[in-house]
Amino acid sequence: MKGILIINLGSPDSPNKKDVKRYLDEFLMDERVIDISKFWRTILVRGIILNTRPKKSAEAYQKVWTNDGSPLIIHTENLKNKIQNQVKAPVEMAMRYGNPSIKNGIQKLKDQGVSEILAIPLYPQYAMATTETVIVKAQEIQKMHFPEIRMDFVPPFYNNTEYINVLSESIQKALEKTDAEHLLFSYHGIPERHIYKTDPTESHCKIDGSCCNTPSEAHKTCYRHQCFETTKLVAKNLNFDKDFYSDSFQSRLGRDPWLQPYTADRFEDLPHEKVKKLAVVTPAFVADCLETIEEIGMEGKEEFLHAGGESFHTIPCLNDDDDWAKLLSKWSNEWLEA
């Protein structure tokens, strides 16, 4: 019997400091998130970050928390339910960090008689800290606890025509309700070194103006290329003028160079470039969460308006959009019937 497991990033169990600290510990101690030796990662995370960051992060989570809980968990659960209504196989959800865990998700499927699982990492673009860590963790858990279960994985879908169509339609519908004169595609940032580490050729990626546009095997695992490609495909789909949109990267952590331009800098600069009415979309996320609601929708809005902007609009993630659920169900059914 086959089953489907959708996997998202995760969330603390509550917005209180204790739960946020536990969540950050699991997240930041992942060697694919902070990719330094375990010794130095432990000192950095448990000796410094977890003694300073949880209080501030908890305050941020409190701003976005709903009566039903974490927005990311709620959207993912609603998405799971819509998929379940469209496929004739058990569907469960899991989080890479926090609850429900990947082990919990696999166990629920096993309890329903499942012996083959299609895991869907809910990340359009490939990165060490997203797709890769989900696959590695899921495989570790499968080998250790469920050796009798076979797992397949949906690859990154950043350039999948069906996905681009769903994303484009969602953006178009949202833009029609705004007065935006510019659309900023804000992707989650990663350290530049991650780009070099995921380059199988060990030579193609230069993080300059040419490598992302030059065909290469490296593009299969290049987050930067895949982000830019997502933007290009949406822009082509919606016939955007080249001056109407631009890219940036948010959520920088630490002092090392991360992918640029930084979203926070663009919020400061755009009003001085005569962009007074801005819309922001965050295509690295498929579900609204702390980074989209608080970092962009609250802090980003304040920064942009303070810099001279006049109106600021956030475009929702796909969340549990009917067309998005229908597409994931289609992919699931194709695997089930194969």
Side-chain angles (χ1 to χ4, degrees):
M1 183 176 177
K2 294 182 176 182
I4 309 298
L5 183 65
I6 61 173
I7 307 174
N8 214 328
L9 178 71
S11 172
D13 290 334
S14 82
N16 69 49
K17 182 180 175 181
K18 181 180 179 181
D19 285 337
V20 170
K21 184 175 183 179
R22 184 187 306 114
Y23 172 76
L24 289 177
D25 180 68
E26 182 182 6
F27 175 50
L28 297 176
M29 283 301 293
D30 185 344
E31 64 182 348
R32 287 173 174 78
V33 173
I34 298 183
D35 55 322
I36 57 179
S37 71
K38 187 174 182 180
F39 175 80
W40 289 112
R41 187 167 65 253
T42 302
I43 291 177
L44 174 63
V45 174
R46 295 175 176 168
I48 301 175
I49 296 177
L50 294 185
N51 289 317
T52 58
R53 191 179 180 92
K55 182 177 183 294
K56 182 178 180 181
S57 293
E59 292 172 352
Y61 274 108
Q62 288 165 12
K63 294 179 183 178
V64 307
W65 216 260
T66 73
N67 292 334
D68 295 322
S70 160
L72 182 142
I73 300 294
I74 295 167
H75 291 311
T76 307
E77 186 167 11
N78 289 341
L79 179 65
K80 179 206 77 172
N81 292 336
K82 287 188 176 182
I83 297 171
Q84 182 64 86
N85 289 334
Q86 299 178 63
V87 302
K88 294 181 179 180
V91 180
E92 296 294 342
M93 61 177 271
M95 299 292 147
R96 173 59 182 87
Y97 314 103
N99 297 307
S101 67
I102 293 175
K103 182 181 178 183
N104 175 271
I106 297 175
Q107 184 66 57
K108 281 188 173 182
L109 289 172
K110 180 184 176 182
D111 291 345
Q112 297 173 74
V114 169
S115 58
E116 295 181 59
I117 294 174
L118 176 65
I120 307 178
L122 293 174
Y123 306 106
Q125 301 85 20
Y126 180 96
M128 283 173 51
T130 57
T131 311
E132 184 174 312
T133 189
V134 163
I135 292 174
V136 170
K137 184 68 172 181
Q139 289 176 333
E140 287 178 353
I141 292 171
Q142 179 267 326
K143 290 176 183 177
M144 184 177 299
H145 301 284
F146 308 98
E148 73 283 7
I149 290 180
R150 185 173 72 85
M151 294 190 74
D152 291 332
F153 295 88
V154 169
F157 44 87
Y158 70 98
N159 62 349
N160 177 279
T161 300
E162 294 173 309
Y163 162 72
I164 292 296
N165 288 341
V166 170
L167 178 61
S168 298
E169 184 173 351
S170 173
I171 292 172
Q172 183 62 47
K173 287 179 179 178
L175 281 176
E176 289 172 355
K177 301 176 183 178
T178 76
D179 59 354
E181 55 194 14
H182 191 85
L183 176 62
L184 183 65
F185 287 76
S186 178
Y187 294 89
H188 198 292
I190 62 172
E192 289 184 353
R193 66 178 181 273
H194 284 200
I195 300 297
Y196 299 122
K197 283 188 173 183
T198 56
D199 178 2
T201 71
E202 299 183 354
S203 61
H204 176 78
C205 293
K206 303 288 192 301
I207 310 186
D208 57 17
S210 63
C211 60
C212 281
N213 295 315
T214 304
S216 171
E217 182 73 13
H219 290 172
K220 291 181 179 180
T221 51
C222 179
Y223 179 73
R224 185 174 184 266
H225 163 78
Q226 294 183 12
C227 289
F228 289 154
E229 194 67 14
T230 300
T231 298
K232 288 178 183 177
L233 292 171
V234 169
K236 181 179 180 181
N237 225 18
L238 297 178
N239 296 312
F240 286 160
D241 183 90
K242 65 178 181 179
D243 296 324
F244 177 69
Y245 66 95
S246 58
D247 295 297
S248 64
F249 297 89
Q250 65 184 82
S251 310
R252 182 187 180 193
L253 175 66
R255 298 181 179 179
D256 289 344
W258 281 42
L259 296 181
Q260 297 186 47
Y262 301 133
T263 297
D265 290 347
R266 295 304 293 144
F267 288 153
E268 296 284 340
D269 296 340
L270 282 168
H272 302 292
E273 297 171 11
K274 299 182 179 180
V275 173
K276 301 295 185 179
K277 301 173 182 179
L278 180 66
V280 184
V281 65
T282 48
F285 306 89
V286 298
D288 278 305
C289 55
L290 184 71
E291 288 83 356
T292 67
I293 301 171
E294 194 270 342
E295 183 181 353
I296 298 298
M298 297 178 186
E299 289 189 7
K301 179 178 181 179
E302 182 178 348
E303 291 168 1
F304 178 74
L305 297 179
H306 181 74
E310 296 176 0
S311 67
F312 184 96
H313 310 274
T314 52
I315 294 179
C317 294
L318 292 174
N319 294 321
D320 62 340
D321 176 85
D322 287 343
D323 289 337
W324 173 226
K326 183 177 180 180
L327 177 57
L328 290 176
S329 300
K330 178 178 180 291
W331 293 347
S332 298
N333 282 323
E334 289 173 348
W335 178 81
L336 290 168
E337 294 167 4

